[in-house]
Amino acid sequence: MYIEYDGSFEGYLNALYYILKNKISPNKISFKKNLFNIESIKINSNIKIFNYMSSYLKRSVSNLSLHKFYHCFLSNFEDKDLLAIKYIILALKYPKAIDNYETNDIVINVNKYSKRVSFESHRFLGILRFKLLKNNFYFSKINPDNLIIPLISNHFVKRLSNENWIIFDENHMMAAIYEEKNLSIGLIKSFKNIDFMLEEEEILYEEFWKKYYKSISIKERKNDRLRKNFMPYRYWKNLIEIANKKSEL
């Protein structure tokens, strides 16, 4: 059976509700359509079911299991949807023992995916850069492998609580928008109403920062290979001090 949902966590918990309610074995479902998916079901997001499932899972499994389940869902692995479903069903069946099943393949892979997401979200707390726009919004574009915006947004709510800002995940077309003390997170198609002109001071500060970064570097000790070990090359294009091009959004 092919199960289709809207890609959101709300939709995903609705899918889980459908699977549990109809007692469908995880071995008989797929979240990836192929020629063998004779039967298919489209799940519509229902906020009441989402709230019900959230409360149900919080009551039924440990916080650690919930943490791994959610982080697995946020990962970019192709099999993560089905894997997280298998994991949470196992956790519901063995709520006290699941965290000790370190030889179980499902648990092993969920641990692996969860750690990848946690590691990347922690890394972006340090490397995320904002640019000040003329409309007084701070804007940051990132390109993470995993869907980390839901995990890092609250950190910046605390740090930049008096500012308006946007964090845009270009890879997943998701944005966190913080405006007038309100945070909203969601998938987007475009920013039609945002003026992306940089504030003049921002341009100057970027130039100052680049010159400072260049002035403290030691040419003879430059080692790009080592630098890539600490900072993956795919992240470089959003770092002001390393990007080759002039500032762009």
Side-chain angles (χ1 to χ4, degrees):
M1 174 188 289
Y2 167 61
I3 294 183
E4 182 183 4
Y5 70 103
D6 60 8
S8 68
F9 190 60
E10 288 80 2
Y12 187 64
L13 287 194
N14 274 259
L16 175 61
Y17 173 81
Y18 180 85
I19 293 166
L20 294 176
K21 181 183 177 183
N22 293 283
K23 298 180 180 179
I24 302 171
S25 169
N27 295 323
K28 295 182 179 179
I29 63 174
S30 170
F31 287 92
K32 188 176 181 181
K33 197 168 188 177
N34 57 52
L35 294 175
F36 302 103
N37 296 135
I38 299 174
E39 188 179 357
S40 65
I41 179 74
K42 184 175 183 179
I43 304 292
N44 294 316
S45 285
N46 182 314
I47 191 64
K48 289 183 179 178
I49 293 178
F50 169 72
N51 290 334
Y52 168 77
M53 287 302 297
S54 297
S55 300
Y56 171 64
L57 292 178
K58 286 176 183 175
R59 292 196 310 271
S60 306
V61 302
S62 68
N63 289 334
L64 180 59
S65 296
L66 271 183
H67 171 92
K68 293 177 181 177
F69 170 68
Y70 184 49
H71 280 59
C72 182
F73 167 78
L74 296 176
S75 72
N76 68 334
F77 293 91
E78 282 192 8
D79 63 339
K80 54 104 176 178
D81 282 337
L82 184 56
L83 179 67
I85 292 287
K86 289 181 177 179
Y87 175 79
I88 203 65
I89 290 176
L90 201 61
L92 288 167
K93 190 174 182 180
Y94 306 105
K96 294 183 179 178
I98 183 71
D99 296 329
N100 297 320
Y101 283 4
E102 296 182 356
T103 57
N104 182 289
D105 287 341
I106 295 172
V107 177
I108 289 171
N109 285 325
V110 166
N111 287 343
K112 174 185 169 185
Y113 294 4
S114 175
K115 286 178 181 176
R116 290 274 185 92
V117 174
S118 296
F119 180 72
E120 188 173 45
S121 62
H122 180 72
R123 171 180 266 165
F124 267 85
L125 295 182
I127 67 172
L128 191 144
R129 303 285 196 272
F130 284 99
K131 298 170 186 282
L132 180 58
L133 305 180
K134 281 195 171 183
N135 57 15
N136 280 329
F137 262 86
Y138 285 88
F139 182 85
S140 178
K141 183 169 69 177
I142 59 176
N143 295 84
D145 296 330
N146 303 289
L147 204 56
I148 61 170
I149 276 189
L151 301 179
I152 65 175
S153 297
N154 284 331
H155 171 82
F156 292 101
V157 168
K158 294 175 183 174
R159 287 196 61 187
L160 300 171
S161 61
N162 294 321
E163 309 290 349
N164 295 323
W165 49 261
I166 298 170
I167 301 174
F168 172 48
D169 178 346
E170 188 178 35
N171 287 351
H172 303 92
M173 292 304 290
M174 175 177 273
I177 301 175
Y178 185 72
E179 183 177 13
E180 298 180 353
K181 306 285 185 182
N182 292 311
L183 175 68
S184 58
I185 299 174
L187 299 172
I188 61 167
K189 293 182 179 178
S190 66
F191 286 110
K192 290 183 178 178
N193 300 320
I194 299 292
D195 180 2
F196 286 107
M197 290 292 290
L198 288 177
E199 177 63 48
E200 291 181 5
E201 282 189 359
E202 175 68 27
I203 298 173
L204 284 175
Y205 281 129
E206 285 192 9
E207 289 303 315
F208 288 154
W209 177 246
K210 287 178 181 176
K211 287 180 181 177
Y212 170 74
Y213 183 79
K214 188 176 180 181
S215 70
I216 63 171
S217 65
I218 301 172
K219 186 178 178 181
E220 290 74 16
R221 299 183 66 180
K222 185 178 179 181
N223 187 336
D224 281 342
R225 185 175 179 182
L226 180 63
R227 188 157 59 169
K228 288 174 184 174
N229 287 338
F230 288 106
M231 178 66 67
Y233 185 71
R234 60 186 181 278
Y235 298 153
W236 288 21
K237 65 179 181 179
N238 293 325
L239 297 179
I240 296 168
E241 63 272 29
I242 299 178
N244 292 323
K245 295 179 180 179
K246 287 186 177 180
S247 183
E248 58 181 29
L249 295 173

